[in-house]
Amino acid sequence: MDVLFHNVRELVERAEQEEKLISEIMIEQEILITGRTREDVIQQMDRNLTVMEEAVERGLQGVQSVTGLTGGDAVLLQNYIAQGHSLSGDLLLDAVSKAVATNEVNAAMGTICATPTAGSAGVVPGTLFAVKNKLNPTREQMIRYLFTSGAFGFVVANNASISGAAGGCQAEVGSAAGMAAAAIVEMAGGSPQQCAEAFAITLKNMLGLVCDPVAGLVEVPCVKRNAMGAANSLVAADMALAGVSSRIPCDEVIGAMYRIGQSMSPNLKETARGGLAATPTGKAISKAILENGGLQSIKAMQ
Amino acid sequence: MKFTSVFDIIGPVMIGPSSSHTAGAARIGRVARDLFGRQPKWAKIHLYGSFAETYRGHGTDVAIIGGLLDYDTYDERIKTAFEGAEKAGLSFEFIPEEAHKDHPNTTRIVMGDDEGEMSVEGISIGGGKIEISEVNGFKLRLTGGMPAILVVHDDRAGCIANVANCLAMHNVNIGHMEVSRIERGLTALMVIEVDQNIEDKVLQQISLIPYITKVSKINN
């Protein structure tokens, strides 16, 4: 199958040569591959955007997962921001809270849009709805944000992996954070090359991240990793917009991520046999949830 | 290219918590139902690797059952799929397996009713995307992202040409095709990915071709 780009280098080159946005190249490729109309493709992304918006709103009202392991932290963060004394800055914390909101809804078996997966679904919408308050984008620009994210995710999915079971959490939340960073740069008016730099800087700093979910559930540490993924992407986007570049080119960072994932022990790839899942508390939580009828038994022990 | 559409990356819209374990599982269940051609009365669901270890917490169990009931990844009824199965007369059993498969998220669904049985093995490759890796013992690669037909037939000369001719007569364009057989001269399987959903009358005509024993389809 003929595609417009196989890697980030080709993606950026094409955007530069044709003087188009990364998002535009992604839209054109989608039309080319699927044979659908432009209107149809844009409309589907518009619907995905609406799902994301509803998930953020629902999470900010407070949700609780079935197990009781996660929920309510997005509300705590919003209350803290409202007090006006945040150290890391309101926009960054707003992105963090909205990423958490989405993942709390996900853990509660609510409706979300995977970006690129469900476990990493918070970063892209979290950053988008925070940056929105600063940049005041049009609806079309918000939809473009998702196409730009998708373009980078497309490269990772086809050249490395976006699955925690195959590549560790670096492949899930690491990819999501890189995707968000690139999209923030485009929305803020940066160049296609700066989008690639932002992606590379973000993913470099999430390399080696293991997938070690307690009890195998998409809750601990997934929700907080989305929070930090969102923070990572905002900082990397600012660095790229400031003119900082990655010494290791974006495609090589993606290649490194793939090989790290390959050499990672299966214990650290979503099996819940290593990392945080294998800590005494992780194991106790797992036992309580999977065998002894819920978290109440742990609370009773304490 | 494993992933072809941007909506493989930004999507699917789904019920949480896991695109691999919940959305992918629901899709495998739904494709299995499509291939079986109707809702089965019973299903034995073998789970391998990460599926076997974490299926309860991820809702993999309710998702597969939801798929067998024809629910989409975003259908809120996934959460109550066990009750849905009871109402629909579908009994089921989950069997976590110790054996290792090539991919950590693999399930083999053996299902049936009074008229027949079928075994479908699927893997969830990430982001809600799936591949069907085996049907009734035949190895194959099928993404479920394109409409497709599966034709079980006797391994005889002319069978493939006759099916292709029948599709051509109905103006159906073949995008990709694989033929596999367990043993030469016995039973073979054609997997044909096509550009548009196939009408039932076309399936019926194919089923009338000599040496064809079973035809099923996946719509998209």
Side-chain angles (χ1 to χ4, degrees):
Chain A
M1 186 178 299
D2 203 19
V3 290
L4 299 180
F5 58 96
H6 296 82
N7 51 42
V8 173
R9 184 179 52 79
E10 289 176 3
L11 174 64
V12 170
E13 272 176 13
R14 185 170 279 269
E16 282 174 347
Q17 277 164 13
E18 298 182 7
E19 295 183 2
K20 287 175 181 165
L21 297 170
I22 297 272
S23 52
E24 183 59 26
I25 306 291
M26 187 71 247
I27 293 167
E28 287 176 7
Q29 173 159 301
E30 187 68 16
I31 294 166
L32 177 75
I33 286 189
T34 62
R36 296 167 64 186
T37 64
R38 184 184 186 90
E39 192 187 10
D40 195 20
V41 169
I42 302 276
Q43 269 180 6
Q44 184 174 351
M45 198 58 98
D46 194 345
R47 288 196 297 273
N48 287 0
L49 177 60
T50 302
V51 169
M52 292 180 201
E53 192 163 20
E54 287 169 357
V56 167
E57 280 169 12
R58 192 179 155 206
L60 289 180
Q61 287 163 14
V63 289
Q64 204 70 36
S65 71
V66 183
T67 63
L69 263 184
T70 52
D73 287 352
V75 177
L76 290 180
L77 282 159
Q78 283 295 330
N79 293 344
Y80 176 73
I81 294 166
Q83 287 167 16
H85 306 298
S86 81
L87 300 174
S88 52
D90 288 355
L91 191 153
L92 189 134
L93 270 190
D94 191 36
V96 164
S97 74
K98 286 170 177 166
V100 168
T102 302
N103 287 87
E104 287 180 340
V105 167
N106 180 58
M109 287 191 90
T111 306
I112 55 99
C113 179
T115 53
T117 65
S120 60
V123 180
V124 169
T127 50
L128 169 56
F129 288 105
V131 169
K132 181 188 172 205
N133 295 334
K134 174 113 178 170
L135 299 178
N136 298 315
T138 61
R139 182 82 181 175
E140 189 210 315
Q141 285 172 313
M142 293 177 74
I143 291 167
R144 282 192 176 275
Y145 188 99
L146 301 180
F147 279 108
T148 307
S149 300
F152 280 86
F154 180 85
V155 170
V156 179
N158 283 308
N159 294 289
S161 176
I162 52 166
S163 151
C169 198
Q170 55 167 4
E172 289 205 36
V173 91
S175 300
M179 288 157 57
I184 295 166
V185 168
E186 181 175 300
M187 187 179 268
S191 68
Q193 184 58 40
Q194 284 175 322
C195 293
E197 303 294 351
F199 184 96
I201 293 168
T202 308
L203 187 58
K204 282 200 300 191
N205 288 288
M206 301 185 89
L207 287 179
L209 195 56
V210 302
C211 182
D212 52 353
V214 169
L217 305 172
V218 193
E219 298 204 50
V220 176
C222 321
V223 174
K224 292 190 183 79
R225 286 211 179 126
N226 273 263
M228 302 319 269
N232 226 320
S233 61
L234 271 169
V235 175
D238 261 337
M239 287 173 75
L241 288 165
V244 177
S245 61
S246 169
R247 287 286 178 267
I248 310 295
C250 197
D251 289 311
E252 292 185 37
V253 176
I254 293 169
M257 188 271 269
Y258 177 65
R259 286 188 297 278
I260 292 168
Q262 295 267 296
S263 57
M264 216 179 252
S265 160
N267 290 342
L268 300 172
K269 290 192 278 193
E270 213 182 303
T271 53
R273 291 198 299 256
L276 295 169
T279 58
T281 300
K283 286 198 272 194
I285 291 172
S286 174
K287 198 168 177 203
I289 290 174
L290 299 181
E291 294 171 26
N292 298 340
L295 276 185
Q296 291 78 358
S297 60
I298 292 194
K299 286 175 189 148
M301 260 167 22
Q302 289 163 347
Chain B
M1 288 270 161
K2 287 181 285 184
F3 296 77
T4 52
S5 165
V6 70
F7 298 108
D8 293 336
I9 311 297
I10 308 296
V13 172
M14 55 168 282
I15 302 294
S18 167
S19 46
S20 284
H21 291 74
T22 322
R27 281 182 166 165
I28 293 171
R30 198 164 187 219
V31 169
R33 175 201 167 107
D34 274 353
L35 289 174
F36 188 59
R38 55 198 180 273
Q39 190 200 280
K41 281 195 172 162
W42 58 267
K44 288 184 180 175
I45 297 141
H46 301 262
L47 300 165
Y48 298 87
S50 175
F51 268 180
E53 307 226 20
T54 64
Y55 69 98
R56 282 173 296 187
H58 280 125
T60 308
D61 45 8
V62 284
I64 291 177
I65 298 303
L68 288 173
L69 293 171
D70 209 23
Y71 301 168
D72 212 327
T73 55
Y74 53 81
D75 196 319
E76 298 257 351
R77 291 175 299 173
I78 282 179
K79 286 185 270 189
T80 54
F82 286 178
E83 293 158 35
E86 200 176 336
K87 279 187 204 140
L90 166 67
S91 64
F92 57 85
E93 183 187 353
F94 287 94
I95 306 157
E97 300 282 1
E98 293 279 325
H100 279 273
K101 291 277 182 182
D102 290 344
H103 194 280
N105 287 325
T106 301
T107 178
R108 186 161 54 86
I109 302 172
V110 184
M111 71 211 129
D113 59 13
D114 302 339
E115 286 165 47
E117 275 187 43
M118 189 178 233
S119 158
V120 174
E121 186 177 282
I123 58 179
S124 178
I125 61 171
K129 197 126 164 84
I130 64 160
E131 285 178 6
I132 298 300
S133 48
E134 204 176 295
V135 173
N136 285 346
F138 290 100
K139 298 276 180 208
L140 58 103
R141 275 170 65 94
L142 191 62
T143 61
M146 294 278 289
I149 50 175
L150 268 67
V151 183
V152 181
H153 59 103
D154 294 347
D155 188 20
R156 303 282 181 90
C159 251
I160 295 166
N162 288 338
V163 172
N165 276 336
C166 182
L167 290 173
M169 260 167 34
H170 289 94
N171 223 7
V172 174
N173 189 34
I174 295 176
H176 180 80
M177 180 166 179
E178 275 181 23
V179 182
S180 59
R181 50 194 182 178
I182 294 173
E183 204 175 330
R184 194 200 289 191
L186 294 175
T187 309
L189 174 77
M190 273 181 254
V191 181
I192 307 168
E193 285 189 347
V194 290
D195 289 351
Q196 71 264 44
N197 289 335
I198 303 275
E199 292 172 47
D200 284 337
K201 67 171 187 193
V202 181
L203 284 194
Q204 189 145 17
Q205 281 193 17
I206 293 174
S207 70
L208 295 174
I209 296 172
Y211 306 118
I212 303 289
T213 46
K214 184 169 171 53
V215 184
S216 35
K217 68 170 175 174
I218 299 175
N219 278 340
N220 187 33

